Amino acid sequence: MSELDEQIASADGKVAQLVSEVPGAKENLLDAAVQFCAEWIDHMAKQTVASQPQQTKALGHEALSQLKAEINALKEALPAKVRVAFDESKTLPSLDDIQSADNPASLGWRIMATSAYGNRKLPGGVDAAVRLVIGELGPLLMARGFDQGSDRWGSGTPRWRYNLDASDGLCAACNQFTEVWIALGQASKSARHIRERRESDEAIDIWDEAW
């Protein structure tokens, strides 16, 4: 085996290792998104009823208990809803498109600097998917008379439009997936370049051997 063949075998082994890590990093990110959404929904529901006490008191225990039951049902459905939102918005790059990792900036994956409000921003695709999922709280609240005249749930398909501060866990999961994906892209690119070098060397050998 030539030196280049050994390098290719090593590079291919690295690619295979990283490919095997992608599904786990994806699942960790989905789990972190589910946990973030559940905690955010609980917090926002409680904040809403506390900030609009007249409407809360007007509803009474029975209506509030029904609202709580609907919110709990929404939280129980979060694992499926988060997965659908991520898949439909193509939040995560596909293993079929490893070449896209050659240019990480094009994925918009790096955690951005804090916003003007001091909130930690999520990568674009994750931010969009999370806002869509937590936006489902809006219709439940508005159906009970909360947030009348507010635009924070958007128009059309409900989604959270205001500031969103990512949790430590969700940021860490985003960073983990980003690191694995970028490393995979770099390893794939390296393996491709070594193969191209071998092809070039073989072409030169044929040339030199020709009469």
Side-chain angles (χ1 to χ4, degrees):
M1 180 181 290
S2 70
E3 181 180 350
L4 283 179
D5 288 336
E6 291 178 355
Q7 291 178 15
I8 289 172
S10 175
D12 286 347
K14 182 65 173 177
V15 169
Q17 173 196 336
L18 290 165
V19 164
S20 71
E21 294 178 13
V22 169
K26 176 180 178 180
E27 290 303 315
N28 286 342
L29 178 50
L30 291 171
D31 289 345
V34 168
Q35 181 177 351
F36 173 79
C37 289
E39 293 174 354
W40 188 95
I41 287 170
D42 275 341
H43 172 76
M44 183 54 61
K46 184 173 288 188
Q47 184 184 81
T48 299
V49 299
S51 63
Q52 301 173 48
Q54 291 184 342
Q55 183 59 25
T56 303
K57 292 177 181 179
L59 286 173
H61 287 88
E62 184 176 349
L64 290 174
S65 293
Q66 185 178 359
L67 173 58
K68 274 190 173 183
E70 293 178 4
I71 291 174
N72 287 334
L74 171 60
K75 287 163 56 183
E76 289 176 4
L78 284 177
K81 288 180 180 293
V82 166
R83 188 173 295 275
V84 168
F86 271 57
D87 288 344
E88 289 185 350
S89 63
K90 300 190 184 329
T91 300
L92 303 181
S94 167
L95 282 172
D96 295 330
D97 188 27
I98 295 176
Q99 306 304 330
S100 68
D102 287 356
N103 182 15
S106 69
L107 295 174
W109 263 102
R110 287 173 294 185
I111 296 293
M112 298 171 63
T114 54
S115 71
Y117 298 94
N119 297 331
R120 291 167 295 185
K121 293 183 178 180
L122 292 168
V126 177
D127 182 78
V130 167
R131 287 177 182 276
L132 190 64
V133 173
I134 62 178
E136 294 196 31
L137 174 64
L140 302 182
L141 295 173
M142 290 187 287
R144 301 312 194 291
F146 292 106
D147 285 347
Q148 299 302 302
S150 173
D151 64 347
R152 64 181 184 171
W153 303 105
S155 58
T157 302
R159 68 182 68 241
W160 179 251
R161 296 183 62 250
Y162 285 19
N163 296 316
L164 187 64
D165 189 19
S167 65
D168 291 341
L170 187 50
C171 283
C174 284
N175 283 333
Q176 180 196 20
F177 184 90
T178 302
E179 289 171 4
V180 171
W181 184 256
I182 291 176
L184 173 58
Q186 292 171 339
S188 175
K189 184 176 183 179
S190 175
R192 188 170 66 254
H193 286 175
I194 297 171
R195 279 190 167 82
E196 290 170 354
R197 208 158 80 235
R198 183 178 64 181
E199 291 290 325
S200 178
D201 286 354
E202 289 173 350
I204 291 174
D205 287 344
I206 293 173
W207 170 260
D208 290 342
E209 293 169 358
W211 289 91

